[in-house]
Amino acid sequence: MLSSKKTTLAFALSAATALLFSACGDGVNDASSSSAGNSPTNSPAPTPDPSKNGAISLHGIVYGAADTSVPTGAGVPITMMGQMRALFDLIRKSSDFTQVVMDLGDGSPVHVLDTNTGDKFLPGKLALGLSWILIDMKTKGDPAYADYLATYQKITIAMMTQMTGSNYTYANTSWGEYYYLVALNNFQAHGMLNEVFSDAMLKTLQARLNFCDMFGADASGKTDTCPAAGTPIDVASLNTAQNYYAVSYGIAGLRQKLGWSNPTFSSTTDATVATMNARDALLYTLTKHIRNDSSGGFSDEASNTHTTYYDQARYDRYSTLLIGEVTERTLEMGNQANLTPELKSYLRNSVNLILPQLNTNGEGFNYGRSIGPYGDSAFMEVLTAAANAGVLTDQEMKVAYTYIYKSALRFSNFWYDPTLPTPSVNMWVKGRGTDSYRGKPRVMGENFSLLHQYMYVNAWWDKLGFNGKAPLSDTDMQAYLDALPHYTLTWYNQPTDTAHPYSAALITVRDGKRVINLNLSQAPDYNSYTPYYPAPSSDNLAYGTTDLGYALLIPQVTYNGKTYIPVTYYKNLNVQETNGQVVVTFDTAKFRQAAKNALYTTDLDLQVHTVMTFSKGTMTRTDTLSSGTLTGNLAVETDYTSFADFQNTTANSDGYSVNYTNSPATNYAAMGFDSCALSQFDTVNGATNPLSTTPIGQLHSNFACTTNPFALTGGATRKLSWTLKYADPA
């Protein structure tokens, strides 16, 4: 049973909050004092065999041996540097790089470097990803360096100068500009900038790599042309999501580090902006966004397009990651003097949200959009930023490093698939699915950006003194995790925040090795999709499908021919641990129409009181529906979809329960419904069912329970519930 002692997660900031900056201003301290101290238990950590070049280490997985090959015992098919080199070779060996094809074995190979991939960051991703190889080859005096450099320069000329009419053939906006500037600064740090780029190309790059495409608009709705010198840009004119302030901040800071000038900013609401350089004005504006859009220091990712409290509150992976990215940008541009105590407190809040979710398998976010490998790497990036900003304890440093090692191991053995016709990260085939934003035509760019994340993180931990060091043993890591509270309640908006009267919070429950998240987020632009439902998310047990919705573990209502779901307007959230159980209760004031960006005028006057109970190996949800005004009949459906294979899934004779084998789920039972039906879920009419392809793999069976039409008049209520039983992860 779970302990009955109620606990909370309250990590105090370390007394030693000084930044780990080196005297030369590279943002880190080469000394290993930050990692000193005892491990979480007295059990010794595994010691790498010197003959294996630190194989049991983050560096061993990411960089490998001196020639970037896999060290003996590293446990991966190829190092990440090896993956990057293979992609470079794929491009280099093609007579026309625009015709390079990546084949994921699904019958539709992709021309990954043509102009129609939909990846407007592609030139920057290539410039940055391939720069890792060039720098490594140059440093080692590799005789093939000149050949690879020539390929790099050919790509640069084609992508950054060729025009179609008045437009560049290849778009390279926002993130692409930032990525490119990271590459330029890395080349400069290694004395290679003027060797890789001619003066004329640097002049072209200086003109193209700016943040102006994110601000203002011309007759076509957007412009990447900066105003004339001396003409300021209104800092409030950002024409994309609020988190792009961080991207523009990175661009401005890295331009400044190169000695390039930036446009200036003005503000219609805050004259302070006009007194700052662009880098600092953007950080100032970004800080205000985080401060004002949640009382917990998390970024509301819906606030750029919605203006009232009930429209806001999309909290997901990026809400937690943003402050980690801001910290990383601040360090890489040498702006650490502006990493204020306020920003570090926000970073610590993100750490406090992440720590209870850690595990020995390297798994990250399991709810919200753009997760999959990015869900894992988001934990890694936040923890790395926190390590560099001095907001982790010595023990937490070891725990963070161990998680990151496990994340790299998971990337190399789960997300990367060497058996594909073109070895690649896999987010698209073999039962996996991702957001349309990261569609398969972007596969080349996704490989580069993910590999870069691990490479830069490894470089930081090398400088922090962990080069070649072993992680904690699984025993020690699990002992640390077992000592964490059984539940953690993280408020995005505090209940006392009158500007945000609806509850927005994350509840994380730990049951042995299993991590279960219940995310309550209004998400107006995504709440019709399962990853944003107020339903539990847990690895290989309960998982949403990107960009799609169905009645996954919630009471989905049909009324007057339309479908409604309880996915916003949460109130009265309460979490208690009593008698060995974690009990979560909350009310939902209205049901929303099940459509993306549904109008609020279509809300249904239907209320539900929800009780979720978590105990050892079991979770139960009970929903009590009521309404004071509905006069017609409504019907309810709730589904549970399982990763267990359909052939070994058995519906019981009671008609309301199912048994599973070879799966973490062992039994699911529903109560209060009129009928239930078990069906195969992975295919429809011989084709893959798109609802079945989650980021981590395919769902195979569905157990759908429904009611007959009924009325809720005269104060009537209807109680519906389900119970899911599961085994502890291996």
Side-chain angles (χ1 to χ4, degrees):
M1 297 292 287
L2 296 178
S3 167
S4 61
K5 180 181 179 182
K6 181 177 179 180
T7 54
T8 57
L9 185 67
F11 293 102
L13 287 174
S14 168
T17 54
L19 290 172
L20 301 175
F21 298 132
S22 69
C24 63
D26 64 359
V28 295
N29 188 335
D30 288 336
S32 60
S33 59
S34 61
S35 61
N38 296 324
S39 55
T41 74
N42 292 325
S43 301
T47 301
D49 182 342
S51 68
K52 296 177 182 177
N53 299 307
I56 308 171
S57 69
L58 177 63
H59 189 93
I61 295 172
V62 175
Y63 198 90
D67 62 353
T68 70
S69 64
V70 179
T72 302
V76 296
I78 185 174
T79 63
M80 293 184 181
M81 283 293 286
Q83 293 177 46
M84 193 74 86
R85 179 68 171 260
L87 292 170
F88 205 150
D89 286 341
L90 183 67
I91 299 170
R92 184 176 60 87
K93 293 175 182 179
S94 174
S95 58
D96 180 356
F97 78 86
T98 66
Q99 299 304 306
V100 168
V101 171
M102 293 186 71
D103 184 357
L104 301 188
D106 61 346
S108 56
V110 179
H111 285 82
V112 290
L113 296 182
D114 68 18
T115 60
N116 298 311
T117 64
D119 191 343
K120 296 181 180 180
F121 318 142
L122 187 60
K125 289 180 178 180
L126 260 69
L128 178 54
L130 300 182
S131 72
W132 284 96
I133 301 301
L134 281 186
I135 291 170
D136 183 61
M137 296 178 75
K138 175 71 173 181
T139 301
K140 295 173 179 174
D142 191 315
Y145 168 73
D147 185 24
Y148 282 75
L149 174 60
T151 298
Y152 191 95
Q153 292 171 329
K154 179 175 70 174
I155 294 170
T156 298
I157 292 170
M159 287 190 161
M160 302 307 290
T161 63
Q162 289 184 0
M163 306 283 284
T164 300
S166 60
N167 297 318
Y168 287 101
T169 303
Y170 284 87
N172 188 56
T173 64
S174 58
W175 277 105
E177 294 161 298
Y178 162 74
Y179 290 139
Y180 223 120
L181 284 161
V182 174
L184 296 181
N185 276 274
N186 287 346
F187 280 131
Q188 179 168 266
H190 287 83
M192 297 170 60
L193 185 63
N194 296 105
E195 178 179 319
V196 177
F197 303 101
S198 67
D199 289 345
M201 179 56 70
L202 286 173
K203 185 176 181 181
T204 296
L205 294 174
Q206 183 174 355
R208 285 204 65 184
L209 305 178
N210 60 70
F211 49 74
C212 298
D213 57 301
M214 288 178 277
F215 293 87
D218 58 17
S220 63
K222 188 175 179 182
T223 179
D224 60 1
T225 303
C226 288
T231 303
I233 302 171
D234 186 351
V235 75
S237 65
L238 187 72
N239 58 30
T240 186
Q242 294 284 293
N243 62 54
Y244 276 74
Y245 274 117
V247 183
S248 55
Y249 168 57
I251 292 170
L254 291 174
R255 284 179 60 92
Q256 187 169 321
K257 191 174 181 181
L258 287 171
W260 295 355
S261 62
N262 284 307
T264 58
F265 279 105
S266 64
S267 174
T268 56
T269 59
D270 191 339
T272 303
V273 170
T275 67
M276 299 177 172
N277 62 46
R279 180 197 69 183
D280 295 346
L282 286 163
L283 180 60
Y284 172 82
T285 303
L286 179 59
T287 302
K288 287 176 62 178
H289 161 57
I290 300 175
R291 182 192 303 137
N292 295 339
D293 285 339
S294 87
S295 52
F298 298 94
S299 174
D300 175 1
E301 291 308 290
S303 63
N304 64 308
T305 56
H306 302 270
T307 57
T308 55
Y309 63 78
Y310 54 85
D311 281 324
Q312 297 179 8
R314 168 155 60 92
Y315 296 103
D316 52 20
R317 172 189 70 97
Y318 214 87
S319 303
T320 303
L321 172 61
L322 181 61
I323 186 59
E325 290 185 344
V326 171
T327 303
E328 160 59 20
R329 305 297 169 265
T330 300
L331 297 174
E332 70 188 0
M333 68 177 66
N335 190 30
Q336 48 264 38
N338 282 334
L339 193 60
T340 62
E342 178 186 8
L343 289 173
K344 288 196 284 185
S345 73
Y346 296 154
L347 180 61
R348 183 66 221 193
N349 286 346
S350 285
V351 169
N352 291 348
L353 180 144
I354 286 172
L355 285 177
Q357 300 183 59
L358 295 187
N359 52 80
T360 59
N361 296 320
E363 298 154 5
F365 284 103
N366 54 26
Y367 59 89
R369 64 183 292 270
S370 290
I371 51 173
Y374 287 96
D376 301 349
S377 66
F379 280 15
M380 173 185 74
E381 291 190 279
V382 171
L383 293 172
T384 299
N388 279 311
V391 300
L392 298 183
T393 66
D394 289 344
Q395 184 186 51
E396 290 167 349
M397 291 281 285
K398 291 186 176 70
V399 167
Y401 174 74
T402 300
Y403 168 80
I404 294 167
Y405 165 81
K406 291 290 188 176
S407 176
L409 202 63
R410 175 173 163 84
F411 180 90
S412 299
N413 289 304
F414 181 77
W415 293 115
Y416 176 76
D417 189 347
T419 70
L420 296 173
T422 306
S424 168
V425 64
N426 175 20
M427 295 187 281
W428 305 275
V429 299
K430 297 184 178 181
R432 298 178 190 173
T434 190
D435 311 72
S436 58
Y437 172 74
R438 300 191 190 279
K440 195 180 69 169
R442 289 178 51 163
V443 55
M444 176 70 86
E446 301 305 330
N447 274 272
F448 280 125
S449 55
L450 283 163
L451 289 170
H452 165 69
Q453 288 180 352
Y454 283 92
M455 289 175 179
Y456 96 75
V457 163
N458 173 67
W460 278 116
W461 284 95
D462 281 356
K463 291 183 179 182
L464 286 166
F466 285 76
N467 189 341
K469 285 195 174 182
L472 298 174
S473 67
D474 282 357
T475 300
D476 284 1
M477 181 69 166
Q478 193 61 48
Y480 172 87
L481 297 174
D482 288 344
L484 294 174
H486 288 126
Y487 83 86
T488 305
L489 171 60
T490 303
W491 288 99
Y492 302 125
N493 292 325
Q494 295 294 336
T496 55
D497 184 355
T498 56
H500 303 86
Y502 292 105
S503 298
L506 173 70
I507 300 96
T508 298
V509 177
R510 297 194 64 91
D511 182 7
K513 294 181 180 180
R514 179 161 297 284
V515 176
I516 305 166
N517 284 315
L518 179 63
N519 192 49
L520 301 182
S521 172
Q522 321 301 335
D525 40 359
Y526 285 92
N527 60 19
S528 62
Y529 300 154
T530 52
Y532 288 91
Y533 285 3
S537 298
S538 188
D539 189 60
N540 287 315
L541 182 65
Y543 230 86
T545 304
T546 59
D547 291 352
L548 292 169
Y550 63 101
L552 177 62
L553 295 174
I554 63 169
Q556 177 178 284
V557 168
T558 301
Y559 183 77
N560 282 346
K562 296 180 180 178
T563 303
Y564 299 87
I565 47 181
V567 292
T568 189
Y569 302 121
Y570 310 122
K571 303 194 77 170
N572 306 320
L573 173 63
N574 183 269
V575 187
Q576 300 288 332
E577 188 170 356
T578 307
N579 298 325
Q581 296 179 325
V582 175
V583 180
V584 180
T585 61
F586 59 94
D587 297 313
T588 306
K590 298 178 183 179
F591 276 47
R592 307 250 21 241
Q593 192 168 350
K596 183 175 174 63
N597 290 321
L599 297 175
Y600 288 87
T601 54
T602 65
D603 289 341
L604 191 65
D605 183 24
L606 179 64
Q607 293 76 47
V608 60
H609 177 68
T610 300
V611 179
M612 284 214 65
T613 303
F614 301 88
S615 57
K616 182 63 179 176
T618 304
M619 65 176 83
T620 298
R621 175 173 175 141
T622 300
D623 292 301
T624 304
L625 282 72
S626 62
S627 176
T629 62
L630 295 184
T631 57
N633 288 339
L634 61 142
V636 182
E637 176 178 348
T638 296
D639 296 3
Y640 174 61
T641 48
S642 172
F643 292 95
D645 60 276
F646 179 69
Q647 288 70 23
N648 293 313
T649 299
T650 305
N652 295 319
S653 58
D654 60 18
Y656 298 97
S657 65
V658 175
N659 290 333
Y660 303 95
T661 57
N662 303 319
S663 165
T666 58
N667 178 270
Y668 174 82
M671 291 139 279
F673 294 88
D674 295 308
S675 62
C676 297
L678 176 67
S679 62
Q680 188 166 352
F681 197 65
D682 45 21
T683 59
V684 177
N685 297 324
T688 298
N689 178 7
L691 289 172
S692 71
T693 55
T694 78
I696 61 171
Q698 193 162 34
L699 299 162
H700 296 292
S701 69
N702 182 38
F703 194 60
C705 296
T706 57
T707 69
N708 297 326
F710 63 92
L712 285 176
T713 56
T717 61
R718 181 71 178 259
K719 182 178 291 187
L720 306 164
S721 63
W722 55 256
T723 296
L724 176 61
K725 296 182 178 180
Y726 53 87
D728 204 34

